[in-house]
Amino acid sequence: MPEQYLFIDVCNRAEAYQAAHPEQRLLRLGVGDVTRPLPATIVKALQQAAGELGQAETFRGYCLEEGYEWLRRCIIDNDYAPLGISLDLSEVFISDGAGSDLGNLSELFATDNTVAIMDPTYPAYTDANLMAGRHMIYLPCHAQNGFVPDLPQEKADIIYLCFPNNPTGAVLTYAQLARWVDYARANHSVIIFDAAYEAYITQPGIPHSIYEIEGAKEVAIEVRSYSKTAGFTSVRCGYTIVPEATGLRAMWLRRQCTKYNGTSYIAQRAAQATYTPEGKAGIRANLDFYMGTAHLIKSRLQEMGYEVYGGENAPYIWCKAPHNWGSWTFFDHLLQQCQVLCTPGAGFGESGEGYVRFSAFSKREDCVEALQRIQKFI
Ligand code: PLP
């Protein structure tokens, strides 16, 4: 296991550079954190909820570990019913974001279970399972397979899939996702489907939820978050669907009741506000803005002759390093010559070597300037 979490490593290098060159302005296109302010209606919901806690008549203490019914109902009605997916309230679990659940879900499984993980991947799943001491199968994703992993050769008990993908920006078609569901059903595996970037899908014909695939409720847990959808990286709220048919719902509830005392009331009220007409419009405007930035980064890099992927259904641009450089070499060139920060692909796994990731969450003006500096560097 790497000694440090990837993004800490990147930050440390950036800080060391900045300390040595205080006169330079670093442009941060690395970490995938949102930068646009929350829509006004969501801020109002946060303020109102905080106000309620200051009045005897509306004060609240602990909520159910699985979250308030009004939010779980909103999720079923707004996020799943339009896709033709029916869920029971008891299958929806509100969380403090996808990150915790993606790691914690592994507690439902024996430590001798084998885990299949896409390579490159968002590092949290790998690290959580390595910490638990599990055997890992890495599924290489590269340009030749369109960054879509092939089915594992050896039996995988737990499979983490992330689509739209961080870091490559790849998506799966219905047929490609159905192959995974079929594999899981045939092998008694469980898929943990990370749909944190579902709201960024722009292309038609791409599944937004794994439950759009027949039979998926028997084998899949879906994890979603308001972080990237609604700008909640600091508010902290997300949710996880554990269908009864997986046989894991009661066990997850038992685990949560013991180790998780529920998501903050204020955060849940803010999440509820994302489903109002004003909330939806505000969120859409932010998503469109980020995707505008993604298109800008992708098209400019392409014009400069770079080989780039992603940026169509995800806010990430996956860029091949020139001259067959390794990821960290390109990272260092961009840092030293252009004062531009990206994330080295090798940090996401072996198959990410030779690539870097640019994030479209960065400020638009910083991206424009970064692209000008990269152009000059060429
Ligand atoms: N999943 C993926 C693929 C992510 O990129 C992130 C955050 O960057 C998360 C999950 C965690 O998000 P959060 O814990 O903020 O909901």
Side-chain angles (χ1 to χ4, degrees):
M1 199 165 113
E3 203 174 311
Q4 299 204 75
Y5 192 58
L6 169 63
F7 300 108
I8 309 270
D9 210 3
V10 169
C11 275
N12 288 347
R13 287 194 190 216
E15 270 168 32
Y17 179 85
Q18 191 73 88
H21 306 88
E23 73 293 353
Q24 299 280 13
R25 194 169 86 86
L26 273 187
L27 300 174
R28 295 169 191 274
L29 275 64
V31 181
D33 195 359
V34 289
T35 47
R36 307 275 299 162
L38 294 173
T41 189
I42 296 174
V43 175
K44 210 165 121 203
L46 283 165
Q47 289 166 335
Q48 200 173 324
E52 283 172 31
L53 298 183
Q55 303 290 327
E57 304 74 37
T58 47
F59 175 79
R60 290 167 192 251
Y62 289 121
C63 83
L64 283 178
E65 285 79 359
E66 60 268 44
Y68 285 103
E69 200 173 311
W70 35 259
L71 179 54
R72 289 184 288 142
R73 176 63 57 204
C74 272
I75 290 165
I76 292 175
D77 293 347
N78 290 276
D79 292 344
Y80 289 99
L83 300 174
I85 299 163
S86 62
L87 290 172
D88 191 77
L89 268 184
S90 64
E91 296 173 311
V92 184
F93 293 83
I94 309 300
S95 69
D96 62 358
S100 331
D101 279 6
L102 285 162
N104 293 339
L105 279 162
S106 69
E107 289 185 16
L108 299 184
F109 304 93
T111 42
D112 63 357
N113 276 187
T114 297
V115 187
I117 286 205
M118 297 168 66
D119 170 21
T121 183
Y122 173 62
Y125 335 125
T126 324
D127 291 0
N129 280 285
L130 285 173
M131 282 176 196
R134 289 206 178 79
H135 172 60
M136 315 285 284
I137 305 170
Y138 294 97
L139 308 169
C141 300
H142 36 68
Q144 290 82 347
N145 62 12
F147 302 100
V148 171
D150 298 326
L151 296 172
Q153 298 299 313
E154 54 181 308
K155 182 182 178 305
D157 301 305
I158 311 164
I159 301 159
Y160 281 86
L161 293 180
C162 172
F163 289 101
N165 187 258
N166 174 15
T168 67
V171 285
L172 287 184
T173 62
Y174 283 92
Q176 286 169 327
L177 188 52
R179 282 186 75 214
W180 281 97
V181 171
D182 292 346
Y183 172 92
R185 294 181 73 184
N187 289 279
H188 305 287
S189 321
V190 173
I191 297 174
I192 298 177
F193 191 73
D194 181 353
Y197 295 95
E198 165 277 328
Y200 289 86
I201 296 174
T202 53
Q203 231 177 302
I206 302 295
H208 284 246
S209 164
I210 194 165
Y211 305 121
E212 290 182 73
I213 308 296
E214 211 186 319
K217 276 193 191 169
E218 290 163 34
V219 290
I221 293 173
E222 182 162 286
V223 180
R224 289 197 185 189
S225 171
Y226 297 96
S227 282
K228 307 302 162 74
T229 309
F232 277 34
T233 51
S234 66
V235 176
R236 306 308 304 152
C237 196
Y239 62 87
T240 292
I241 307 296
V242 188
E244 187 66 47
T246 57
L248 296 167
R249 192 201 62 80
M251 216 202 314
W252 180 241
L253 178 62
R254 186 72 183 81
R255 188 265 173 212
Q256 290 297 80
C257 290
T258 308
K259 296 197 184 180
Y260 184 69
N261 262 356
T263 306
S264 124
Y265 171 65
I266 300 170
Q268 292 192 61
R269 280 292 186 205
Q272 184 188 31
T274 67
Y275 296 105
T276 60
E278 303 79 21
K280 283 181 182 173
I283 286 169
R284 193 67 258 163
N286 281 347
L287 292 171
D288 290 346
F289 185 88
Y290 291 134
M291 288 314 283
T293 308
H295 290 147
L296 176 87
I297 300 174
K298 186 172 185 176
S299 56
R300 293 273 168 83
L301 287 172
Q302 274 172 332
E303 283 160 21
M304 292 179 220
Y306 284 98
E307 187 181 324
V308 277
Y309 302 91
E312 303 291 338
N313 298 294
Y316 297 117
I317 290 87
W318 189 237
C319 177
K320 180 106 177 67
H323 319 301
N324 279 327
W325 283 343
S327 300
W328 283 103
T329 306
F330 191 32
F331 170 91
D332 280 334
H333 274 280
L334 289 173
L335 178 60
Q336 308 282 340
Q337 320 285 330
C338 311
Q339 294 74 50
V340 169
L341 262 186
C342 62
T343 308
F348 295 100
E350 244 172 58
S351 300
E353 181 55 282
Y355 288 88
V356 299
R357 188 196 74 176
F358 292 104
S359 162
F361 289 125
S362 317
K363 295 204 171 97
R364 180 74 60 85
E365 60 274 22
D366 283 0
C367 289
V368 171
E369 193 178 334
L371 290 158
Q372 285 164 353
R373 291 186 193 178
I374 297 172
Q375 172 89 62
K376 267 197 201 154
F377 163 63
I378 289 176

